[in-house]
Amino acid sequence: VSFTKLELGAGSARLALSGDLKLDKQLAFKAEGELSRFDPSRFAKLPAALINARFKASGKLAPRPLIDGSFELRDSQLAGHALSGKGKLSVDWPRIPQADIQLAAGPNTLSAHGAFGRPGDALAIVIDAPQLAPYGLEGALNGRLDLAGSVAQPQLQADVQAAKLGLAGLGRLSGLSLKATAGGEANSALHIDLAVAQVDTPAQPAMAKAIRIQADGSNQAHQLRAEVEFIGHNR
């Protein structure tokens, strides 16, 4: 199945595609396209956007997905702020042999680099989001996730902080800090240190304070400690 040009439109948005698909046991394919003036807020409850992007992908879908793809965002906006990014992603399901992705929305950035799925692989995801208000959230968030090892024996390290993080109508966390190390084996090290200075809800400001949850040991043998101060109570 081949198509030299396929165009779809909705309002001012346009999607142009070309490519081919072989109807054999491997379902080999290749495709490339361009998206212009796309606003996802027309179809879902999302911030208004104007997305212009080019992308291409190739690979096969059977007996398991094996895909190489890339994309580039240009002259785009999200919630009134400049949106840019580019990336390459290789998938050999359930492995990710290569990820090289960079996104920026105003002053906020997200990057993913590395690989995951085999011993020695390491995938790092870094977020630095000092201004979340345009996207319906209060406060800021920054952190790093490191995923390593194989699918059978994954290893995760996380380091996340937020001086303030909230959602209107739901609540707010102040002084959030999370440091964690975990693995997929029974004897994998397990270390968790979660702290929240204060939890506020619309109905009850300062509902809880000085929350601290800590775990040390391994998956099969660890100690768990938890402390929290409610209004008028300590637990």
Side-chain angles (χ1 to χ4, degrees):
V1 178
S2 298
F3 50 95
T4 56
K5 190 173 184 180
L6 173 64
E7 290 191 358
L8 302 174
S12 61
R14 291 290 184 273
L15 174 62
L17 289 171
S18 63
D20 59 68
L21 171 65
K22 292 184 179 180
L23 300 179
D24 55 13
K25 291 184 179 180
Q26 292 188 333
L27 293 176
F29 75 95
K30 62 179 179 180
E32 61 180 282
E34 185 170 355
L35 182 65
S36 60
R37 302 189 66 81
F38 176 64
D39 182 2
S41 68
R42 293 187 58 191
F43 308 96
K45 193 174 181 180
L46 296 168
L50 183 65
I51 297 177
N52 299 293
R54 292 179 179 175
F55 57 89
K56 61 181 179 179
S58 62
K60 61 181 184 178
L61 301 178
R64 68 180 191 277
L66 180 62
I67 301 169
D68 285 315
S70 64
F71 72 92
E72 182 180 5
L73 293 170
R74 53 183 178 79
D75 301 324
S76 299
Q77 291 186 352
L78 177 62
H81 293 265
L83 175 66
S84 63
K86 60 181 180 179
K88 294 181 180 180
L89 182 66
S90 297
V91 177
D92 183 5
W93 190 255
R95 291 188 61 230
I96 302 176
Q98 179 192 23
D100 186 5
I101 297 172
Q102 300 176 37
L103 296 172
N108 306 302
T109 61
L110 172 69
S111 67
H113 299 286
F116 172 73
R118 286 183 177 175
D121 284 348
L123 176 63
I125 302 172
V126 180
I127 182 170
D128 182 10
Q131 293 183 16
L132 293 174
Y135 317 109
L137 296 171
E138 179 184 0
L141 178 70
N142 64 80
R144 178 182 176 118
L145 299 177
D146 289 288
L147 187 60
S150 66
V151 176
Q153 299 181 355
Q155 299 174 351
L156 172 68
Q157 287 190 330
D159 188 350
V160 179
Q161 299 89 32
K164 185 183 295 183
L165 186 63
L167 180 62
L170 182 62
R172 180 193 305 115
L173 302 178
S174 300
L176 170 66
S177 173
L178 171 64
K179 297 181 184 295
T181 299
E185 296 294 297
N187 61 351
S188 296
L190 176 65
H191 301 288
I192 298 174
D193 189 352
L194 171 64
V196 179
Q198 183 167 302
V199 177
D200 301 295
T201 67
Q204 190 172 1
M207 181 188 73
K209 294 183 177 182
I211 300 170
R212 191 74 179 269
I213 299 174
Q214 295 176 301
D216 290 292
S218 65
N219 286 340
Q220 64 183 358
H222 57 266
Q223 293 182 334
L224 179 64
R225 299 179 296 277
E227 297 178 358
V228 59
E229 178 183 337
F230 293 100
I231 293 179
H233 300 277
N234 291 322
R235 295 183 182 179

